[in-house]
Amino acid sequence: EIVLTQSPGTLSLSPGERVTLSCRASQSISSSYVAWYQQKIGQAPRLLMSATSRRATGIPDRFSGRGAGTDFTLTISRLEPEDFAVYYCQQYGLSPWTFGQGTKVEMK
Amino acid sequence: EVKLEESGGGLVQPGGSGRLSCAASGFFFSSFSMIWVRQAPGKGLEWVSFIGSRGSTIYYADSVRGRFTISRDDAKNSLYLQMTSLRAEDTAVYYCAKMGQELWFGNYSTGAMDVWGHGTTVTVSS
């Protein structure tokens, strides 16, 4: 099983700031099959990014993803008020499909 | 509009059973693999069970194998999760999700979870 470790656990930031979230895998993920999801309180997760760097439909371009092998990142270039949420990375290249434990981006 | 809607959650006693349903609309349901993901209170996401298109391939998380059964009825555009021998640690919001088509394994595909339902809550307690 591929274990995903996200860091940091929580970030306290202000609107307008740039943020980079990290996701490290316990083994190399084939073909960069990594996704990122955003979850707000009381809501279902929403797909932000697939295949490391492909934005899902309707996701603004302030969100970007990169990485390969075991290290992946999600960057929000300029935080908007609606971006404060929990972010999960997930690998889907190999069953079992595993999630990271999440990074909470909270407003300072 | 592509939509998934779960139902069937509720309060169940330890050792009891329950069946979750997920109604799909707005896409060609039979062509896509589907997955159940759960989230315990205050915790992260945990995949529970996967079923490939046409139902030929099924996987379970170790935590539910032997107790949960996933199935689908393509004629009804519906996904199901039969749960038995429920435990307190099964208490969670259960989401169904559609998987994209990025990787192909014979007769089924997998991918990122691109559509999610709103979730249904299962509480296992006496």
Side-chain angles (χ1 to χ4, degrees):
Chain A
E1 174 176 317
I2 297 178
V3 176
L4 299 179
T5 302
Q6 292 186 242
S7 60
T10 303
L11 283 166
S12 297
L13 299 164
S14 301
E17 290 195 80
R18 178 186 179 91
V19 59
T20 296
L21 311 181
S22 173
C23 177
R24 177 161 289 177
S26 59
Q27 59 184 275
S28 183
I29 298 174
S30 63
S31 302
S32 298
Y33 289 121
V34 169
W36 290 88
Y37 302 87
Q38 177 193 66
Q39 187 179 33
K40 298 180 181 179
I41 294 173
Q43 296 185 17
R46 175 176 72 146
L47 177 66
L48 294 177
M49 204 79 59
S50 63
T52 299
S53 60
R54 185 171 63 223
R55 277 188 299 276
T57 303
I59 302 303
D61 61 8
R62 64 179 180 271
F63 290 89
S64 62
R66 60 183 302 169
T70 60
D71 291 297
F72 299 85
T73 60
L74 175 73
T75 296
I76 309 172
S77 61
R78 186 178 172 85
L79 276 168
E80 297 289 338
E82 61 267 28
D83 299 336
F84 291 93
V86 179
Y87 293 84
Y88 295 95
C89 62
Q90 182 237 343
Q91 68 81 21
Y92 55 95
L94 190 67
S95 172
W97 300 272
T98 47
F99 292 89
Q101 80 278 21
T103 291
K104 182 179 182 180
V105 178
E106 64 179 21
M107 198 175 296
K108 187 186 291 183
Chain B
E1 180 192 5
V2 177
K3 192 175 177 182
L4 296 171
E5 187 163 356
E6 303 92 340
S7 60
L11 177 63
V12 184
Q13 290 196 337
S17 301
R19 188 196 198 205
L20 305 183
S21 300
C22 171
S25 58
F27 65 99
F28 198 54
F29 179 75
S30 63
S31 293
F32 292 89
S33 298
M34 300 293 294
I35 197 162
W36 287 98
V37 174
R38 69 184 181 183
Q39 186 170 36
K43 302 297 184 182
L45 302 170
E46 177 192 19
W47 87 275
V48 172
S49 185
F50 163 93
I51 186 166
S53 53
R54 301 178 183 83
S56 57
T57 300
I58 287 173
Y59 296 113
Y60 297 100
D62 289 346
S63 57
V64 306
R65 187 176 295 113
R67 301 186 298 121
F68 288 13
T69 302
I70 192 172
S71 62
R72 63 190 296 161
D73 185 337
D74 290 345
K76 295 183 177 180
N77 289 338
S78 292
L79 175 73
Y80 305 101
L81 187 68
Q82 179 69 45
M83 306 179 295
T84 63
S85 302
L86 282 162
R87 306 165 181 167
E89 54 265 36
D90 296 317
T91 295
V93 177
Y94 285 73
Y95 298 101
C96 64
K98 166 185 168 289
M99 296 187 89
Q101 294 177 323
E102 296 175 63
L103 298 87
W104 290 90
F105 303 91
N107 61 353
Y108 72 94
S109 63
T110 66
M113 300 166 196
D114 56 8
V115 182
W116 294 67
H118 56 80
T120 188
T121 300
V122 174
T123 302
V124 183
S125 175
S126 54

